[in-house]
Amino acid sequence: MISPTSGISEVPAGKSGMNDSPMYAHSGKGSVEPHTLIDHLQGTARRVREMSQSLPEHIATVAEAAGLAHDIGKATRKFQARLQGSPTPAPHAFYGAKWLWENHQSRIASLLVARHHGGFYLDCGTLEGELQGQTLPTGHGTQEWAEARSWADNHPAIRDNPLFLAAKQEERTWPREHVAKYSDIRMAMSLLVEADRADTAEHYDDRKTVFTPQDLIRICDNKYRDLCSQGGAVPEVLRLRQEVYETCRRSYPGQFFLLEGGTGSG
């Protein structure tokens, strides 16, 4: 068991004053109101659960917990100012991961939260060192960490949520074999990222954009060509992509499939 760190913040938890003001995950757009942070966290977690009906429980629960914590780091003055147009960078993913680690020691859920914007790679050892450390990564501030921690510690929908304990227990059942573990982590990351985007799109009502079948085929064809032109792709992966895509195009012209679960691609 890894002991949580303490004493890193400049402002004691619960004393930052941030909990008196509404926190937002995304700014307003046109007639759409800003997206409140708690609504986005709960909405993302709910969507993870909806998308994972056919997946093993250990993947679904850990990804769901990550969804509930993934944007905790937005509960800072600096990030809220960013939503109002401030040019000052305001990274947020690490703070949510650190809160998960210190409060629940959820190793995989913390990895998902920490990497949900920066790209997925298996660096659990490095990440654990950062989460346990008395100093924060470059670009992160002790004041922001104190504010995000205070918000999460004082919001009952986050602080008292039994989902985090369930996720910690499910992590104990995670596959130990490397390939299986890697595959399951990728699937959980995919669930988190896709649920995050879906909840944001629903808030802005972006789902109602209408495309004709011809528009969608053109979009898919362009995306397929982009994938095939990427450097460094394994030849076998390219061959498989080509076989699957061309088979679908021949067999189902003008039709499309709705993916109701994570693809594992992030």
Side-chain angles (χ1 to χ4, degrees), residues 92-129:
H92 65 275
F94 182 82
Y95 301 127
K98 188 169 180 65
W99 183 86
L100 259 181
W101 186 271
E102 291 204 352
N103 286 273
H104 302 285
Q105 294 81 53
S106 298
R107 187 171 186 256
I108 297 173
S110 295
L111 171 66
L112 300 179
V113 172
R115 301 303 179 220
H116 79 274
H117 279 302
F120 173 68
Y121 47 98
L122 279 178
D123 61 344
C124 294
T126 301
L127 179 61
E128 286 178 10

Coordinates of all heavy atoms in Angstrom, one line a residue, residues 92-129:
H92 N -4.8 20.6 -16.2 CA -5.7 20.2 -15.2 C -5.7 18.7 -14.9 O -6.1 18.2 -13.8 CB -7.2 20.6 -15.5 CG -7.7 19.9 -16.7 ND1 -7.5 20.4 -18.0 CD2 -8.5 18.8 -16.9 CE1 -8.1 19.6 -18.9 NE2 -8.7 18.6 -18.2
A93 N -5.3 17.8 -15.9 CA -5.5 16.4 -15.7 C -4.7 15.8 -14.5 O -5.3 14.9 -13.8 CB -5.0 15.7 -17.0
F94 N -3.5 16.3 -14.3 CA -2.7 15.7 -13.2 C -3.4 15.9 -11.8 O -3.3 15.0 -11.0 CB -1.3 16.4 -13.2 CG -0.4 15.8 -12.1 CD1 0.3 14.6 -12.4 CD2 -0.3 16.4 -10.9 CE1 1.1 14.0 -11.4 CE2 0.6 15.9 -9.9 CZ 1.2 14.7 -10.2
Y95 N -4.0 17.0 -11.6 CA -4.6 17.3 -10.3 C -5.7 16.2 -10.0 O -5.8 15.8 -8.8 CB -5.2 18.7 -10.2 CG -4.2 19.8 -10.5 CD1 -4.4 20.7 -11.5 CD2 -3.0 19.8 -9.8 CE1 -3.5 21.7 -11.7 CE2 -2.1 20.8 -10.0 CZ -2.3 21.8 -11.0 OH -1.4 22.8 -11.3
G96 N -6.5 15.9 -10.9 CA -7.6 14.9 -10.7 C -6.9 13.5 -10.4 O -7.4 12.8 -9.5
A97 N -5.9 13.2 -11.1 CA -5.1 11.9 -10.9 C -4.5 11.9 -9.5 O -4.6 10.9 -8.8 CB -4.1 11.8 -12.0
K98 N -4.0 13.0 -9.1 CA -3.3 13.1 -7.8 C -4.4 13.0 -6.7 O -4.2 12.3 -5.6 CB -2.5 14.4 -7.6 CG -1.7 14.4 -6.3 CD -0.7 15.6 -6.4 CE 0.1 15.6 -5.1 NZ 1.0 14.5 -5.0
W99 N -5.6 13.6 -6.9 CA -6.6 13.5 -5.9 C -7.1 12.0 -5.7 O -7.3 11.5 -4.6 CB -7.8 14.4 -6.3 CG -8.9 14.3 -5.2 CD1 -9.0 15.1 -4.1 CD2 -10.0 13.4 -5.2 NE1 -10.1 14.8 -3.4 CE2 -10.8 13.7 -4.0 CE3 -10.5 12.4 -6.0 CZ2 -11.9 13.1 -3.7 CZ3 -11.6 11.7 -5.7 CH2 -12.4 12.1 -4.5
L100 N -7.2 11.3 -6.9 CA -7.6 9.9 -6.8 C -6.6 9.1 -6.1 O -6.9 8.2 -5.3 CB -7.7 9.4 -8.3 CG -9.1 9.3 -8.9 CD1 -9.0 8.7 -10.3 CD2 -10.0 8.4 -8.0
W101 N -5.3 9.4 -6.4 CA -4.2 8.6 -5.7 C -4.2 8.8 -4.2 O -4.1 7.9 -3.5 CB -2.9 9.0 -6.4 CG -1.8 8.2 -5.9 CD1 -1.0 8.4 -4.8 CD2 -1.3 7.0 -6.5 NE1 0.0 7.4 -4.7 CE2 -0.2 6.5 -5.7 CE3 -1.7 6.2 -7.6 CZ2 0.5 5.4 -6.0 CZ3 -1.0 5.1 -7.9 CH2 0.1 4.6 -7.1
E102 N -4.2 10.1 -3.8 CA -4.1 10.4 -2.4 C -5.3 9.9 -1.6 O -5.1 9.5 -0.4 CB -3.9 11.9 -2.2 CG -2.6 12.4 -2.7 CD -2.1 13.7 -2.0 OE1 -2.9 14.2 -1.2 OE2 -1.0 14.1 -2.2
N103 N -6.5 9.9 -2.2 CA -7.7 9.6 -1.4 C -8.0 8.1 -1.6 O -8.7 7.5 -0.7 CB -8.9 10.4 -1.9 CG -8.8 11.8 -1.4 OD1 -9.2 12.2 -0.3 ND2 -8.2 12.7 -2.2
H104 N -7.7 7.5 -2.7 CA -8.1 6.1 -3.0 C -7.0 5.2 -3.5 O -7.3 4.0 -3.7 CB -9.3 6.1 -4.0 CG -10.4 7.0 -3.5 ND1 -11.3 6.5 -2.5 CD2 -10.9 8.2 -3.8 CE1 -12.2 7.5 -2.2 NE2 -12.0 8.5 -3.1
Q105 N -5.8 5.6 -3.7 CA -4.7 4.8 -4.2 C -5.2 3.9 -5.4 O -4.8 2.8 -5.5 CB -4.2 3.9 -3.1 CG -3.5 4.7 -2.0 CD -4.5 5.2 -1.0 OE1 -5.3 4.5 -0.5 NE2 -4.4 6.5 -0.7
S106 N -5.9 4.5 -6.3 CA -6.4 3.8 -7.5 C -5.4 4.0 -8.6 O -5.3 5.0 -9.3 CB -7.8 4.4 -7.9 OG -8.7 4.2 -7.0
R107 N -4.5 3.0 -8.8 CA -3.4 3.1 -9.7 C -3.8 3.3 -11.1 O -3.3 4.2 -11.8 CB -2.5 1.8 -9.5 CG -1.2 1.9 -10.3 CD -0.4 0.6 -9.8 NE 1.0 0.7 -10.4 CZ 1.4 -0.1 -11.4 NH1 0.5 -0.9 -12.0 NH2 2.6 0.0 -11.9
I108 N -4.7 2.4 -11.6 CA -5.1 2.4 -13.0 C -6.0 3.6 -13.3 O -5.9 4.3 -14.3 CB -5.7 1.1 -13.4 CG1 -4.7 0.0 -13.3 CG2 -6.3 1.2 -14.9 CD1 -5.3 -1.4 -13.5
A109 N -7.0 3.9 -12.4 CA -7.9 5.0 -12.6 C -7.0 6.3 -12.6 O -7.3 7.2 -13.4 CB -8.9 5.1 -11.5
S110 N -6.0 6.4 -11.8 CA -5.2 7.6 -11.8 C -4.4 7.8 -13.1 O -4.3 8.9 -13.6 CB -4.2 7.6 -10.6 OG -4.8 7.6 -9.4
L111 N -4.0 6.6 -13.6 CA -3.3 6.7 -14.9 C -4.2 7.2 -16.0 O -3.8 8.0 -16.8 CB -2.8 5.3 -15.3 CG -2.3 5.1 -16.7 CD1 -1.0 5.9 -16.9 CD2 -2.0 3.6 -17.0
L112 N -5.5 6.7 -16.0 CA -6.4 7.1 -17.0 C -6.7 8.6 -16.9 O -6.7 9.3 -18.0 CB -7.7 6.4 -16.9 CG -7.7 4.9 -17.0 CD1 -9.1 4.3 -16.7 CD2 -7.2 4.4 -18.3
V113 N -6.9 9.1 -15.7 CA -7.2 10.6 -15.5 C -6.0 11.4 -16.0 O -6.1 12.4 -16.7 CB -7.5 10.9 -14.1 CG1 -7.6 12.4 -13.8 CG2 -8.9 10.2 -13.7
A114 N -4.8 11.0 -15.6 CA -3.6 11.8 -15.9 C -3.3 11.9 -17.4 O -2.8 12.9 -17.8 CB -2.4 11.2 -15.2
R115 N -3.7 10.8 -18.1 CA -3.4 10.8 -19.5 C -4.6 11.0 -20.5 O -4.4 10.8 -21.7 CB -2.7 9.4 -19.9 CG -1.5 9.1 -19.1 CD -0.4 10.2 -19.2 NE 0.8 9.9 -18.5 CZ 1.5 10.8 -17.8 NH1 1.1 12.1 -17.8 NH2 2.6 10.4 -17.1
H116 N -5.7 11.5 -20.0 CA -6.9 11.5 -20.8 C -6.8 12.7 -21.8 O -7.6 12.7 -22.8 CB -8.2 11.6 -20.0 CG -8.5 13.0 -19.4 ND1 -8.0 13.5 -18.2 CD2 -9.3 14.0 -19.9 CE1 -8.5 14.7 -18.0 NE2 -9.3 15.0 -19.0
H117 N -5.8 13.6 -21.7 CA -5.6 14.6 -22.8 C -4.2 14.4 -23.4 O -4.1 14.7 -24.6 CB -5.6 16.0 -22.2 CG -7.0 16.5 -22.0 ND1 -7.9 16.6 -23.0 CD2 -7.7 16.9 -20.9 CE1 -9.1 17.1 -22.6 NE2 -9.0 17.3 -21.3
G118 N -3.2 13.9 -22.7 CA -1.9 14.0 -23.2 C -1.4 12.8 -24.0 O -0.3 12.7 -24.4
G119 N -2.3 11.8 -24.3 CA -1.9 10.6 -25.0 C -1.6 9.5 -24.1 O -1.0 9.7 -23.0
F120 N -2.0 8.3 -24.5 CA -1.8 7.2 -23.6 C -0.5 6.4 -23.8 O -0.2 6.1 -25.0 CB -3.0 6.2 -23.9 CG -2.8 4.9 -23.1 CD1 -2.9 4.9 -21.7 CD2 -2.6 3.7 -23.8 CE1 -2.8 3.7 -21.0 CE2 -2.5 2.5 -23.1 CZ -2.5 2.5 -21.7
Y121 N 0.2 6.2 -22.8 CA 1.4 5.3 -22.8 C 1.5 4.7 -21.4 O 1.2 5.3 -20.4 CB 2.6 6.1 -23.2 CG 2.9 7.4 -22.5 CD1 3.7 7.5 -21.5 CD2 2.2 8.6 -23.0 CE1 3.9 8.7 -20.8 CE2 2.4 9.8 -22.4 CZ 3.3 9.8 -21.3 OH 3.5 11.1 -20.7
L122 N 2.1 3.5 -21.4 CA 2.2 2.8 -20.1 C 3.4 3.3 -19.4 O 4.6 2.8 -19.6 CB 2.3 1.3 -20.4 CG 1.0 0.6 -20.6 CD1 1.2 -0.9 -20.9 CD2 0.1 0.7 -19.4
D123 N 3.3 4.3 -18.5 CA 4.4 4.8 -17.7 C 4.0 4.8 -16.2 O 4.2 5.8 -15.5 CB 4.7 6.3 -18.2 CG 3.5 7.2 -18.0 OD1 2.4 6.7 -17.8 OD2 3.8 8.4 -18.0
C124 N 3.4 3.8 -15.8 CA 2.8 3.7 -14.4 C 3.9 4.0 -13.4 O 3.7 4.7 -12.4 CB 2.2 2.4 -14.1 SG 0.8 2.0 -15.1
G125 N 5.1 3.5 -13.6 CA 6.2 3.8 -12.7 C 6.5 5.3 -12.5 O 6.6 5.8 -11.4
T126 N 6.7 5.9 -13.7 CA 7.0 7.4 -13.7 C 5.8 8.1 -13.1 O 6.0 9.1 -12.3 CB 7.3 7.9 -15.1 OG1 8.3 7.1 -15.6 CG2 7.6 9.3 -15.1
L127 N 4.6 7.8 -13.4 CA 3.5 8.5 -12.9 C 3.3 8.3 -11.4 O 3.0 9.3 -10.7 CB 2.2 8.0 -13.6 CG 0.9 8.7 -13.2 CD1 0.9 10.2 -13.4 CD2 -0.3 8.0 -13.9
E128 N 3.5 7.2 -10.9 CA 3.5 6.9 -9.5 C 4.4 7.8 -8.7 O 4.1 8.3 -7.7 CB 3.7 5.5 -9.2 CG 2.5 4.6 -9.5 CD 2.7 3.1 -9.2 OE1 3.8 2.8 -8.6 OE2 1.9 2.3 -9.6
G129 N 5.6 7.9 -9.3 CA 6.6 8.8 -8.7 C 6.2 10.2 -8.6 O 6.4 10.9 -7.6

